[in-house]
Amino acid sequence: MTALAPELAVSRWFNTARPLSLAALRGKTVVLHAFQMLCPGCVTHALPQTEGLHRLFRDRPDVVVIGLHTVFEHHAAMTPVSLEAFIHEYRLTFPIGVDQPDEHEPIPLTMRRFNMRGTPTTIIIDRTGRIVEHAFGQVADLALGVLLGTLATEMPRSEASTSAEAGCAEGACQAPAPVCRSAILS
């Protein structure tokens, strides 16, 4: 069984009119991408991938892409003011939260809650709020696409249970109607 995702601890948000929370996003697939602006792997691969995902899914109400700037080194250089300039320079449009620092430790709160090893980290949370992927380092576009496509076509458990129960009678069970997958290809 997968773990329920802990809540985000964010001190400031960019590219969103209001703060986001995982509790409020329950019912949606969430792509959480943790990065640092001075991380070469984040800048060259993960941030362009995350921006691409955001643009691909921004008109779909069932998938949300969120960035998390999680600073665990070079604290003086990676301030929210520097991040704001970085976001503008790299034309990042997805919502980005600043991981809340811990006054007693160098590792910020959300990074600790999710047991992240470093950046980039990609975490996929399903509609029920459970972590289904927790990947450190570069994630292949195709692998990420397959996982998100699978999650986007999954019927929520409550609907699946109702459909399955409604189709069973007199010792036989009729399969529920297939989920429409044409939205993935458009």
Side-chain angles (χ1 to χ4, degrees), residues 46-176:
L47 286 169
Q49 180 184 60
T50 304
E51 181 65 27
L53 285 172
H54 172 67
R55 290 174 189 244
L56 181 66
F57 289 109
R58 72 177 158 207
D59 295 329
R60 289 197 53 170
D62 58 334
V63 178
V64 178
V65 178
I66 301 172
L68 180 71
H69 189 244
T70 184
V71 179
F72 57 90
E73 59 187 355
H74 309 298
H75 291 83
M78 292 195 275
T79 66
V81 172
S82 299
L83 177 61
E84 187 169 23
F86 178 87
I87 290 168
H88 176 75
E89 186 69 27
Y90 282 87
R91 296 178 174 94
L92 302 176
T93 61
F94 53 91
I96 297 172
V98 176
D99 199 353
Q100 188 173 336
D102 184 328
E103 58 189 62
H104 304 292
E105 295 197 30
I107 305 298
L109 296 176
T110 305
M111 184 178 192
R112 271 206 335 264
R113 288 179 183 174
F114 278 88
N115 294 316
M116 293 181 205
R117 293 174 34 207
T119 58
T121 293
T122 303
I123 297 171
I124 309 296
I125 302 164
D126 72 9
R127 296 175 191 194
T128 67
R130 300 205 176 278
I131 299 170
V132 295
E133 182 64 33
H134 190 292
F136 170 60
Q138 186 172 331
V139 177
D141 292 338
L142 185 56
L144 190 54
V146 168
L147 177 57
L148 291 174
T150 301
L151 290 171
T153 60
E154 282 183 351
M155 190 182 312
R157 285 192 177 142
S158 60
E159 289 179 30
S161 299
T162 304
S163 296
E165 293 168 4
C168 295
E170 298 178 13
C173 293
Q174 181 178 348

